[in-house]
Amino acid sequence: MASPRAIVFREEHVYHLFNRGVERRPNYHSPRDRERFVSLLDYYRFYGVSKSYSHYLALSLAERATFRQMLDQQPLAVDVLEYCVMPNHFHLLVRQNVKDGIHDYLSNISNGYAKYFNTKRKRVGPLYQGPFKAVFVETDEQLIHLSRYIHINPVVSG
């Protein structure tokens, strides 16, 4: 049984979420990989998404449009304030809107991307270095600092 998180996610609070590839390996080898991850960030923002992203992509364009209209009527489980996708890790600044929103959001993204990546690369096993990390954003100053950090991370890393 997994141990409970030290942090309790609360509605209307902002959190810095991040995770890294297992053994610090790259998880995004191409622009298409990064686009897939960013698409998952967008798709799973909605509360109670009933189709996996791969099932959504298998729909006809008309069916996708209809499903997307239905999604757009759903409340957001999380608001993604900022994100950064680096070759071997990601950072998210997220506000939780519904109970378990962050947990469900990151679970769907991590599992969906790992399945995509492992299938594409004909590999098995975990993609990320354990459960995602989370830090509660307590002050406006901390929020500003994290915003700067997330934006400058790709620049500093080259």
Side-chain angles (χ1 to χ4, degrees), residues 63-77:
E63 291 170 321
R64 276 193 223 171
T66 301
F67 187 76
R68 188 59 194 227
Q69 285 176 342
M70 186 274 306
L71 272 186
D72 288 338
Q73 302 304 312
Q74 300 298 316
L76 293 176

Side-chain angles (χ1 to χ4, degrees), residues 9-34:
F9 298 116
R10 304 211 185 279
E11 290 85 308
E12 304 307 318
H13 286 89
V14 176
Y15 300 88
H16 175 209
L17 312 173
F18 49 100
N19 209 346
R20 179 172 45 205
V22 69
E23 297 178 343
R24 299 182 180 192
R25 282 190 245 156
N27 288 342
Y28 317 99
H29 294 276
S30 68
R32 185 172 179 206
D33 289 347
R34 283 184 292 282

Side-chain angles (χ1 to χ4, degrees), residues 86-145:
M86 299 294 289
N88 72 344
H89 69 283
F90 65 83
H91 293 275
L92 305 171
L93 201 53
V94 173
R95 178 183 14 255
Q96 177 168 277
N97 295 327
V98 299
K99 185 176 183 346
D100 296 326
I102 285 176
H103 175 269
D104 295 347
Y105 179 64
L106 260 291
S107 177
N108 286 331
I109 290 166
S110 297
N111 290 331
Y113 187 73
K115 287 176 186 173
Y116 157 82
F117 187 88
N118 284 346
T119 300
K120 184 176 177 185
R121 301 271 177 321
K122 294 181 174 65
R123 70 178 294 276
V124 296
L127 192 57
Y128 295 101
Q129 187 176 299
F132 67 92
K133 314 312 181 270
V135 175
F136 171 57
V137 179
E138 298 183 46
T139 66
D140 288 344
E141 291 78 19
Q142 185 182 10
L143 182 67
I144 291 166
H145 171 75

